[in-house]
Amino acid sequence: MTSLSSSTPFAANKQNKQTRRRQKAGASDRPGVLEEAVAEIETYKGSDYHSRRLALDYLEKILARWAMAARTINSNAHSFPENPWQTPRVTLVSIGSFRLGVHRKSSDLDVLAIAPPSCTRKDFFTSLVDMLKSDPLIDQVHPIPTAYTPVIKFLLKGYQIDMLFARVDNPSKLLAFQRQRVSPLVTTQLVSSTPRVEYIIDDRDLVGLDEAGVRSMNGARVCQMLQEMVPDYKAYMTVLKAVKEWAHQSGIYSNVLGFLGGINWAILVAWVCKNHPRASTSNLLEIFFRVFASWKWANPVLLQPIQETPPDGVVELPAWNPDVNPRDGLHIMPIITPAYPSMNSSYNVGFPQLRSIQNEMILACNHLRKHKNDFAALFKPSDFFSRHEHFLQVTIRATSRQDFVEWFRLVESRLRVLITDLETEQVHAWPFARFFDRSYDSDGNCLGQGKTKDENAIHESLFFIALRFADGVDTIDMRFAPSAFLHSVNSWSNRVAGMDLSLKHITSSELPTFVHPNCDSTPKSNSNDSKEDNATDIGSKENCENSSKDSAEAPSSPDLASPSKKCRITD
């Protein structure tokens, strides 16, 4: 094993000393204040654990039938007894927010299907996909076998499920787990209401797996390690819920769009909890913003030393190491997973997204410095659309529900390219990680905001990228990046009639009213923004309260011009 932590310029121990001094100086520590604020967050109210558990149990029954069929087909290679209690079957392991106990009402259900040797990945993406498509409770089945981590996406009982696959080489441990666990094949109220018992992954489960299998296993393994690493798991869940809600409201929560996703935020919060084991939840959240608002990227966030040496019997895979792999050296916000092989979980992050993340962290840092214990303000809708004058509006539309799902997924996956191409010395792109959904009838009458289950409705989703311009830029031609993006997406081989995509430059006065927290009026950009709200002015050493001589400097001014600067864009 090798460690990159000792060679990085960023001195984490200095930040720990600095934070401890601030805690002694009187940072907010009133017991329960953050818990009270989190309890009032609407997206966490009313646990749907029971219904999610039922969905997982239902899916596990489908996988059991599939495994039996696969065992019959592949019986030449493997022979198992007829007794179902002596036959290894597929076990579902939950991943992500549900596993960590921090899921929102709208959160996806991420799962890993751990299969016995008789099931293959080819079967997973063929016969199982057919079985899922034929089930009346499952909709929008979308297999992606060529993804970096192969996945099947589908809807089950209203939940978006992302299912990964891994096949163990030796099923004895899997079978032992199934024998001691209450079987989901027997539907009882008791089974679905008790806490879910999760299969514990260890090094033995990685033996014989290919690279895709190890990556699939590691999603669950990282969650498992986070649960073991943090000293106070209840405090960890409270802080992580707060951070996730703040990130959603701030428009910086989306791995697909080049921001940070659930596992990234989970690792960052775990780092804070691990390094400040005696801090209260309120202090932990303040420390989180203070530390990562001034973190010296691209120095990595590490929960433990980089793991490069594989366990015995496990295939050797490349670990994140910018000194060896030049591509790793291009990553600008590395957040490293603790499981072998150590990998950068945030390789998607681009410069515009990093700038937005840092900007929002500085705003949160400044707010908590001025308003102790006012955590509820962090969870209010962002005033992002009031801060800017110019926007690029992306409109995704399709004339049927199924076509829209496929078309939307394609466009969403490529928006990072558009954001990157918009970024120049003269223009900075500020994407907002939220889609605004609407639907229309055949006559063009709006049926309402949000998604609809009406298959024949016209479905539409809007995405916005704010634009800021350098001083001295009064007129600019920005046609190249949008034109190249439109050509790339519209040439998709699976595109059918009715799948439309348009890009349009608009100003703040042309924004649809529904993008604002208060839809009664459309706020105009304010050219006299205060230092607390103006992203150009807040990035100073003093504003993030880095007064100690051994503190890391706060980010420099994160943009090159005022957000309300006027500029004419040629069409």
Side-chain angles (χ1 to χ4, degrees):
M1 295 184 183
T2 60
S3 172
L4 296 183
S5 58
S6 60
S7 62
T8 57
F10 185 88
N13 60 325
K14 289 185 178 180
Q15 289 231 353
N16 293 344
K17 291 178 182 178
Q18 175 192 346
T19 303
R20 284 195 291 270
R21 283 198 297 271
R22 285 177 180 151
Q23 286 177 255
K24 293 178 181 179
S28 64
D29 57 359
R30 180 165 67 84
V33 62
L34 181 59
E35 285 83 351
E36 293 172 6
V38 170
E40 292 302 312
I41 297 174
E42 190 62 33
T43 51
Y44 292 119
K45 284 185 177 180
S47 173
D48 63 347
Y49 176 86
H50 176 69
S51 58
R52 286 175 180 262
R53 175 71 187 274
L54 287 176
L56 292 181
D57 289 348
Y58 183 84
L59 179 58
E60 206 157 38
K61 292 176 187 177
I62 296 175
L63 290 169
R65 295 199 306 270
W66 169 68
M68 290 178 63
R71 180 164 60 93
T72 301
I73 295 172
N74 301 322
S75 58
N76 292 335
H78 302 279
S79 178
F80 298 106
E82 291 301 319
N83 187 336
W85 292 100
Q86 298 178 355
T87 302
R89 60 180 183 272
V90 180
T91 293
L92 271 184
V93 179
S94 63
I95 315 174
S97 59
F98 182 75
R99 175 67 175 269
L100 296 174
V102 295
H103 63 277
R104 306 164 90 234
K105 292 178 183 178
S106 59
S107 296
D108 295 350
L109 260 173
D110 299 317
V111 295
L112 166 68
I114 301 181
S118 56
C119 301
T120 68
R121 187 177 293 119
K122 180 181 178 181
D123 298 329
F124 183 75
F125 284 104
T126 54
S127 59
L128 177 58
V129 168
D130 292 338
M131 189 174 289
L132 294 174
K133 287 181 177 179
S134 65
D135 192 281
L137 296 183
I138 294 179
D139 191 18
Q140 298 181 20
V141 180
H142 184 59
I144 315 178
T146 58
Y148 183 68
T149 304
V151 61
I152 301 176
K153 295 176 175 285
F154 55 93
L155 279 177
L156 170 59
K157 296 187 175 182
Y159 294 112
Q160 174 64 53
I161 295 184
D162 290 0
M163 184 163 61
L164 309 178
F165 172 85
R167 182 177 69 164
V168 293
D169 190 54
N170 186 343
S172 58
K173 180 167 168 271
L174 191 65
L175 184 57
F177 169 77
Q178 290 167 177
R179 285 172 176 168
Q180 70 177 4
R181 176 190 178 202
V182 178
S183 175
L185 303 182
V186 181
T187 303
T188 67
Q189 185 69 22
L190 175 64
V191 172
S192 58
S193 60
T194 55
R196 180 178 171 82
V197 179
E198 299 283 2
Y199 179 83
I200 302 302
I201 301 170
D202 58 32
D203 292 344
R204 289 174 292 172
D205 297 303
L206 304 181
V207 175
L209 293 182
D210 59 10
E211 189 169 353
V214 173
R215 283 199 298 268
S216 298
M217 279 281 195
N218 275 353
R221 203 175 188 198
V222 167
C223 289
Q224 180 182 307
M225 295 177 76
L226 293 179
Q227 291 175 315
E228 297 167 353
M229 283 182 173
V230 295
D232 183 343
Y233 197 74
K234 186 176 180 181
Y236 171 75
M237 288 195 298
T238 298
V239 178
L240 183 53
K241 283 182 177 181
V243 168
K244 283 164 62 74
E245 181 66 16
W246 161 80
H248 274 286
Q249 297 291 359
S250 300
I252 55 173
Y253 192 109
S254 174
N255 180 270
V256 176
L257 295 172
F259 290 97
L260 299 182
I263 193 61
N264 312 128
W265 295 115
I267 293 175
L268 293 183
V269 173
W271 188 97
V272 172
C273 292
K274 187 171 181 285
N275 284 279
H276 304 277
R278 292 191 293 270
S280 67
T281 54
S282 298
N283 281 333
L284 285 170
L285 185 60
E286 293 179 4
I287 294 167
F288 172 86
F289 289 123
R290 202 153 51 218
V291 167
F292 292 115
S294 56
W295 189 272
K296 293 296 187 181
W297 304 107
N299 293 306
V301 174
L302 300 170
L303 291 175
Q304 64 181 21
I306 294 287
Q307 296 192 54
E308 294 183 315
T309 305
D312 291 342
V314 178
V315 63
E316 185 172 355
L317 298 172
W320 186 84
N321 190 335
D323 294 331
V324 174
N325 188 344
R327 294 188 64 179
D328 291 345
L330 299 176
H331 297 168
I332 65 173
M333 195 180 186
I335 301 171
I336 310 302
T337 60
Y340 169 84
S342 300
M343 301 177 70
N344 178 18
S345 65
S346 50
Y347 62 90
N348 269 353
V349 175
F351 282 106
Q353 293 88 340
L354 173 58
R355 182 174 56 231
S356 294
I357 292 169
Q358 287 184 307
N359 183 66
E360 295 298 333
M361 285 185 170
I362 296 170
L363 284 172
C365 180
N366 290 345
H367 170 79
L368 293 180
R369 176 173 58 87
K370 296 180 180 180
H371 308 286
K372 292 292 184 184
N373 296 326
D374 184 14
F375 297 108
L378 297 176
F379 311 140
K380 293 180 179 178
S382 172
D383 63 347
F384 173 87
F385 290 97
S386 299
R387 298 185 208 159
H388 302 86
E389 175 66 21
H390 295 275
F391 299 87
L392 185 66
Q393 175 181 304
V394 180
T395 303
I396 309 165
R397 178 179 280 217
T399 52
S400 76
R401 181 166 171 253
Q402 185 60 41
D403 287 349
F404 178 79
V405 170
E406 297 179 9
W407 183 234
F408 175 85
R409 282 174 176 158
L410 172 81
V411 177
E412 181 190 31
S413 69
R414 299 190 182 181
L415 279 171
R416 285 189 301 116
V417 177
L418 172 63
I419 295 166
T420 299
D421 289 346
L422 287 171
E423 185 82 3
T424 68
E425 292 183 359
Q426 296 179 313
V427 182
H428 276 185
W430 289 73
F432 189 74
R434 180 182 171 186
F435 292 90
F436 297 86
D437 300 312
R438 293 165 68 85
S439 57
Y440 303 86
D441 62 21
S442 57
D443 295 325
N445 300 312
C446 182
L447 300 175
Q449 297 182 41
K451 292 181 172 63
T452 178
K453 294 183 179 180
D454 186 350
E455 178 62 37
N456 297 319
I458 298 172
H459 294 65
E460 179 182 86
S461 190
L462 272 60
F463 178 75
F464 296 90
I465 305 170
L467 306 170
R468 298 188 187 178
F469 307 96
D471 290 335
V473 176
D474 297 317
T475 302
I476 188 167
D477 185 345
M478 294 183 58
R479 288 175 292 186
F480 175 76
S483 297
F485 178 74
L486 286 170
H487 175 74
S488 171
V489 174
N490 285 334
S491 60
W492 182 46
S493 59
N494 293 332
R495 185 187 177 201
V496 299
M499 294 181 176
D500 293 320
L501 174 66
S502 66
L503 277 65
K504 178 184 179 183
H505 164 248
I506 62 173
T507 60
S508 58
S509 62
E510 299 170 295
L511 282 167
T513 56
F514 56 74
V515 303
H516 299 287
N518 182 356
C519 293
D520 293 336
S521 61
T522 305
K524 302 294 175 59
S525 179
N526 183 359
S527 59
N528 296 313
D529 291 335
S530 68
K531 283 192 175 183
E532 181 169 298
D533 295 327
N534 191 323
T536 305
D537 298 328
I538 61 172
S540 65
K541 195 173 186 178
E542 295 76 17
N543 280 340
C544 205
E545 203 185 9
N546 288 299
S547 56
S548 174
K549 65 180 180 180
D550 63 357
S551 68
E553 291 184 4
S556 59
S557 180
D559 206 355
L560 74 173
S562 168
S564 58
K565 173 183 172 59
K566 304 291 183 181
C567 179
R568 187 173 71 86
I569 300 179
T570 59
D571 296 327

